[in-house]
Coordinates of all heavy atoms in Angstrom, one line a residue:
A296 N -60.6 40.5 3.3 CA -61.3 40.1 4.5 C -60.5 39.2 5.4 O -61.0 39.0 6.5 CB -62.6 39.4 4.0
D297 N -59.5 38.5 5.0 CA -58.8 37.6 5.7 C -58.0 38.4 6.9 O -57.9 38.0 8.0 CB -57.7 36.8 5.0 CG -58.3 35.9 4.1 OD1 -59.3 35.2 4.5 OD2 -57.9 35.8 2.9
E298 N -57.6 39.6 6.5 CA -56.9 40.5 7.5 C -57.9 41.5 8.3 O -57.7 42.0 9.3 CB -55.9 41.5 6.9 CG -54.7 40.7 6.4 CD -55.0 40.0 5.0 OE1 -55.7 40.6 4.2 OE2 -54.4 39.1 4.8
C299 N -59.0 41.8 7.7 CA -60.0 42.8 8.2 C -61.4 42.1 8.0 O -62.1 42.5 7.0 CB -59.9 44.1 7.5 SG -60.8 45.4 8.3
P300 N -61.9 41.5 9.0 CA -63.1 40.6 8.8 C -64.4 41.6 8.9 O -65.4 41.1 8.5 CB -63.2 39.6 9.9 CG -62.2 40.2 11.0 CD -61.2 41.0 10.3
V301 N -64.4 42.8 9.3 CA -65.4 43.7 9.3 C -65.6 44.1 7.8 O -64.8 44.7 7.2 CB -65.2 44.8 10.1 CG1 -66.4 45.8 10.2 CG2 -64.8 44.5 11.5
G302 N -66.8 44.0 7.2 CA -67.1 44.1 5.9 C -67.5 45.8 5.7 O -67.9 46.4 6.4
K303 N -67.5 46.0 4.3 CA -67.9 47.2 3.8 C -69.4 47.2 3.9 O -70.1 46.1 3.8 CB -67.5 47.4 2.3 CG -66.0 47.4 2.2 CD -65.6 47.5 0.8 CE -64.2 47.4 0.4 NZ -63.9 47.3 -1.0
P304 N -70.1 48.1 4.3 CA -69.9 49.7 4.1 C -69.0 50.1 5.4 O -68.8 51.4 5.5 CB -71.1 50.3 4.2 CG -72.1 49.4 4.8 CD -71.5 48.0 4.6
D305 N -68.7 49.3 6.5 CA -67.8 49.7 7.5 C -66.4 50.2 6.9 O -65.9 49.5 6.0 CB -67.6 48.7 8.6 CG -66.9 49.1 9.8 OD1 -65.7 49.4 9.6 OD2 -67.6 49.2 10.9
P306 N -65.9 51.3 7.3 CA -64.7 51.8 6.8 C -63.3 51.1 7.2 O -62.2 51.4 6.9 CB -64.7 53.2 7.2 CG -65.4 53.2 8.5 CD -66.5 52.2 8.3
A307 N -63.5 50.1 8.1 CA -62.3 49.5 8.7 C -61.3 49.0 7.7 O -60.1 49.2 8.0 CB -62.8 48.3 9.5
I308 N -61.7 48.4 6.7 CA -60.7 47.9 5.7 C -59.8 49.0 5.1 O -58.6 48.9 4.9 CB -61.2 47.0 4.6 CG1 -60.2 46.2 4.0 CG2 -62.2 47.9 3.5 CD1 -60.7 45.1 3.2
Y309 N -60.5 50.2 5.0 CA -59.7 51.4 4.3 C -58.8 51.9 5.5 O -57.6 52.4 5.3 CB -60.7 52.3 3.7 CG -61.2 52.0 2.5 CD1 -62.6 51.7 2.3 CD2 -60.4 51.5 1.3 CE1 -63.2 51.4 1.3 CE2 -61.0 51.0 0.3 CZ -62.3 51.0 0.1 OH -62.9 50.5 -1.0
D310 N -59.2 52.0 6.7 CA -58.6 52.5 7.8 C -57.3 51.7 8.0 O -56.2 52.1 8.2 CB -59.3 52.5 9.1 CG -60.5 53.7 9.0 OD1 -60.4 54.5 8.2 OD2 -61.5 53.3 9.8
F311 N -57.6 50.3 8.0 CA -56.4 49.4 8.1 C -55.4 49.5 7.0 O -54.2 49.5 7.3 CB -57.0 47.9 8.3 CG -56.0 46.8 8.3 CD1 -55.5 46.6 9.7 CD2 -55.6 46.0 7.4 CE1 -54.5 45.7 9.9 CE2 -54.7 45.0 7.6 CZ -54.2 44.8 8.8
A312 N -55.9 49.5 5.8 CA -54.9 49.6 4.6 C -54.1 51.0 4.8 O -52.9 50.9 4.5 CB -55.8 49.7 3.3
L313 N -54.7 52.0 5.1 CA -53.9 53.3 5.4 C -52.9 53.1 6.4 O -51.7 53.5 6.3 CB -54.9 54.5 5.6 CG -54.3 55.9 5.8 CD1 -53.4 56.2 4.5 CD2 -55.2 56.9 6.0
R314 N -53.3 52.4 7.5 CA -52.2 52.3 8.6 C -51.1 51.5 8.1 O -49.9 51.6 8.4 CB -52.9 51.6 9.9 CG -53.7 52.6 10.6 CD -54.2 52.1 12.1 NE -54.7 50.7 12.0 CZ -56.0 50.5 11.9 NH1 -56.9 51.5 11.6 NH2 -56.5 49.3 11.8
Q315 N -51.4 50.4 7.4 CA -50.4 49.4 6.8 C -49.4 50.2 5.8 O -48.2 49.9 5.8 CB -51.0 48.3 6.2 CG -51.7 47.3 7.2 CD -50.9 46.8 8.2 OE1 -49.8 46.2 7.9 NE2 -51.2 47.0 9.4
L316 N -50.1 51.0 4.9 CA -49.2 51.8 4.1 C -48.3 52.7 4.9 O -47.0 52.8 4.5 CB -50.2 52.6 3.1 CG -50.8 51.9 2.0 CD1 -51.7 52.8 1.2 CD2 -49.8 51.4 1.0
N317 N -48.9 53.4 5.8 CA -47.9 54.3 6.7 C -46.8 53.5 7.4 O -45.9 53.9 7.7 CB -48.9 55.1 7.5 CG -49.4 56.3 6.8 OD1 -48.7 56.8 5.8 ND2 -50.6 56.7 7.1
A318 N -47.2 52.2 7.9 CA -46.2 51.4 8.5 C -45.0 51.0 7.6 O -43.9 50.7 8.1 CB -46.9 50.2 9.2
R319 N -45.4 50.8 6.3 CA -44.3 50.5 5.3 C -43.4 51.7 4.9 O -42.2 51.5 4.9 CB -45.0 50.0 4.0 CG -45.6 48.7 4.1 CD -46.4 48.5 3.0 NE -47.1 47.1 3.1 CZ -46.5 46.0 2.4 NH1 -45.6 46.2 1.7 NH2 -47.2 44.9 2.6
L320 N -43.9 52.8 5.0 CA -43.0 54.1 4.7 C -43.3 55.0 5.9 O -44.1 56.0 5.7 CB -43.2 54.7 3.4 CG -42.7 53.9 2.2 CD1 -43.2 54.5 1.0 CD2 -41.2 53.7 2.3
P321 N -42.9 54.8 7.1 CA -43.4 55.6 8.2 C -42.7 57.0 8.4 O -43.0 57.8 9.3 CB -43.1 54.6 9.5 CG -41.8 54.0 9.0 CD -42.1 53.7 7.5
R322 N -41.8 57.4 7.3 CA -41.3 58.8 7.5 C -42.4 59.8 7.2 O -43.3 59.7 6.3 CB -40.2 58.9 6.6 CG -40.5 58.6 5.2 CD -39.2 58.7 4.3 NE -39.5 58.5 3.0 CZ -39.6 57.4 2.3 NH1 -39.5 56.2 3.0 NH2 -39.9 57.2 1.1
P323 N -42.3 60.9 8.1 CA -43.2 62.0 7.8 C -43.0 62.6 6.4 O -41.8 62.6 5.8 CB -42.9 63.1 8.8 CG -42.1 62.2 10.0 CD -41.5 61.1 9.1
P324 N -43.9 63.2 5.8 CA -45.3 63.2 6.3 C -46.1 62.0 5.9 O -45.9 61.3 5.0 CB -46.1 64.3 5.5 CG -45.3 64.4 4.2 CD -43.8 64.0 4.5
L325 N -46.9 61.4 7.0 CA -47.6 60.2 6.7 C -48.7 60.5 5.6 O -49.2 61.6 5.7 CB -48.2 59.7 8.0 CG -47.1 59.3 9.1 CD1 -47.9 58.9 10.4 CD2 -46.2 58.2 8.5
L326 N -49.1 59.6 5.0 CA -50.2 59.6 4.1 C -51.5 59.8 4.9 O -51.8 59.0 5.9 CB -50.3 58.2 3.3 CG -51.3 58.2 2.1 CD1 -50.9 59.2 1.1 CD2 -51.1 56.8 1.4
R327 N -52.4 60.6 4.5 CA -53.6 60.9 5.2 C -54.8 60.6 4.3 O -54.7 60.4 3.1 CB -53.8 62.4 5.5 CG -52.7 62.9 6.4 CD -52.9 64.5 6.7 NE -52.7 65.1 5.4 CZ -53.1 66.3 5.2 NH1 -53.7 67.0 6.1 NH2 -53.0 66.9 3.9
A328 N -55.9 60.1 4.9 CA -57.0 59.7 4.2 C -57.4 60.6 3.2 O -57.9 60.3 1.9 CB -58.3 59.4 5.1
C329 N -57.5 61.9 3.3 CA -57.9 63.0 2.5 C -56.9 63.1 1.2 O -57.3 63.7 0.2 CB -58.1 64.3 3.1 SG -56.4 65.1 3.8
E330 N -55.8 62.5 1.2 CA -54.9 62.4 0.1 C -55.1 61.1 -0.7 O -54.3 61.1 -1.7 CB -53.5 62.5 0.7 CG -53.1 63.8 1.4 CD -51.8 63.6 2.1 OE1 -51.4 62.6 2.7 OE2 -51.1 64.8 2.1
C331 N -56.0 60.2 -0.3 CA -56.1 59.0 -1.1 C -57.3 58.9 -2.0 O -58.2 59.9 -1.7 CB -56.3 58.0 0.0 SG -54.8 57.7 1.1
L332 N -57.3 58.1 -2.8 CA -58.6 57.8 -3.6 C -58.9 56.4 -3.7 O -58.2 55.4 -3.8 CB -58.1 58.1 -5.1 CG -59.2 57.8 -6.2 CD1 -60.5 58.7 -6.0 CD2 -58.6 58.0 -7.5

């Protein structure tokens, strides 16, 4: 919540986490939400 103050059930924290994961390993293919659990 320190990095993403919008709380669940808003999806913002998951969207943010996915963007951060892709920023760490930005080579294609990027990780997509439908590939996550």
